[in-house]
Amino acid sequence: MVVAYAPGGGTDITARLIAPYIAKYLGTNASIVVLNRPGAGGGIGFAEIANAPADGYTIGFINTPNVLTIPIERKANYHWTGFDLLGNVIDDPGNFSVHNDTPVKNLAELVAYAKANPGKVSYGTTGIGSDDHLAAMMFERAAGVKLTHVPFKGAAEVHQGVVGKQIYMASMNIGEALQYEKGGSPMRNLGQMSGTRTTLAPTLPTFKEQGYDIVMASLRGIAAPKGLPPAIREQLVNAVQKAAADPEFQQKAAGYFAPLRYLPPAQYEAELKGAENGFRQLWKDMPWSESATK
């Protein structure tokens, strides 16, 4: 099972939680090894999944928006239609987090600080074109501020950047931020990018509540190379569905603040298709690559 990000992030944790359950429902003494292939905003890992033999022995997580945005912004040797979709598992809204030592406690205070200190608010993300990056760009435009982007290979590195005060702010998913908070991380969350407050963080205001109509989340689903034999594809789809519905897995996922949202392949495909159309329009309006913004 390929994870296109570094160990310790939300995708990596989910992969290691669900892998034994997928193996359980595959039966016949199946076992799954999780391999981290970070880099290029997820592009290295996505390409490894897409270009592996379509024999059912390689599966992996694909993350939106990265799996959709990378082929829009640059030439990539994969496209989401080049995967056999097995089912979506996670839907994790975005969020901004700062170190507890900073005086900023909400988005209004962040905007005030950023306007008083142009370019000094550096923020970490999991890469160019990630949900974290696009959300921060949307916020810059909506708030009329200039922030400094610092891409990392995974959420764990972004977290360490804030904790070590190498960067001012983390743009990361709320589920990931809550995991670090549970572990005693000295971070303060400023807002969640969901339409309404999630059950994960019922006391944390949304961006919309704070005056910024920004909704951004990361779907994290499981896919395989295109062209699986039908019987093998059906076996994998069923195993992912049963694993996602397993009460024991769901209980463990809740302990890591993993926001579960299972989607069967057809519904997952429809969401990806709609999201890709939206990101193509966003690219026309607000190109997000480093070269396009210089």
Side-chain angles (χ1 to χ4, degrees):
M1 177 182 281
V2 175
V3 171
Y5 299 94
T11 307
D12 179 67
I13 289 169
T14 301
R16 294 178 190 279
L17 284 177
I18 201 170
Y21 294 94
I22 296 175
K24 170 186 171 182
Y25 292 110
L26 284 173
T28 62
N29 299 316
S31 63
I32 297 176
V33 177
V34 176
L35 300 175
N36 298 90
R37 295 289 187 263
I44 291 173
F46 302 151
E48 183 165 331
I49 301 165
N51 297 314
D55 55 10
Y57 286 98
T58 299
I59 61 175
F61 271 83
I62 58 173
N63 302 51
T64 66
N66 306 52
V67 73
L68 305 175
T69 57
I70 290 172
I72 293 173
E73 73 180 54
R74 61 183 186 265
K75 186 176 181 180
N77 57 349
Y78 72 89
H79 185 268
W80 72 267
T81 54
F83 297 100
D84 270 346
L85 303 177
L86 305 179
N88 187 68
V89 180
I90 297 286
D91 186 354
D92 198 355
N95 155 73
F96 286 167
S97 301
V98 294
H99 197 288
N100 285 340
D101 287 349
T102 68
V104 170
K105 294 182 172 62
N106 52 50
L107 296 182
E109 292 180 358
L110 175 65
V111 170
Y113 181 84
K115 286 184 175 178
N117 301 273
K120 288 191 178 179
V121 176
S122 57
Y123 68 96
T125 73
T126 53
I128 297 166
S130 64
D131 56 325
D132 317 317
H133 182 211
L134 298 185
M137 288 183 68
M138 291 175 179
F139 182 73
E140 284 182 296
R141 184 168 68 169
V145 296
K146 180 60 182 171
L147 311 177
T148 301
H149 183 213
V150 183
F152 290 86
K153 290 183 178 179
E157 294 180 9
V158 177
H159 169 244
Q160 286 302 318
V162 171
V163 171
K165 301 182 182 179
Q166 284 89 31
I167 53 175
Y168 191 87
M169 183 177 78
S171 180
M172 65 166 50
N173 300 98
I174 188 63
E176 293 170 330
L178 293 173
Q179 289 169 28
Y180 297 130
E181 187 179 280
K182 182 184 178 183
S185 175
M187 288 202 312
R188 177 188 303 122
N189 300 321
L190 303 183
Q192 53 189 320
M193 300 172 200
S194 45
T196 58
R197 296 189 190 192
T198 63
T199 54
L200 289 178
T203 62
L204 182 64
T206 65
F207 273 52
K208 191 170 184 177
E209 287 178 80
Q210 298 182 67
Y212 300 96
D213 192 4
I214 298 172
V215 176
M216 181 65 73
S218 175
L219 289 180
R220 299 174 195 153
I222 301 176
K226 192 79 169 180
L228 292 176
I232 290 175
R233 183 179 183 277
E234 183 179 3
Q235 189 179 6
L236 285 166
V237 168
N238 289 340
V240 170
Q241 181 180 16
K242 289 175 180 176
D246 189 291
E248 189 176 84
F249 164 69
Q250 291 185 350
Q251 184 178 9
K252 288 182 178 179
Y256 284 93
F257 301 97
L260 300 176
R261 184 186 172 213
Y262 173 75
L263 296 173
Q267 193 176 343
Y268 187 21
E269 180 182 357
E271 291 241 357
L272 292 179
K273 191 176 293 182
E276 183 184 38
N277 291 336
F279 288 124
R280 287 195 182 281
Q281 185 59 51
L282 183 65
W283 175 257
K284 291 179 183 177
D285 298 340
M286 192 178 68
W288 55 76
S289 76
E290 295 295 312
S291 60
T293 54
K294 285 180 181 176

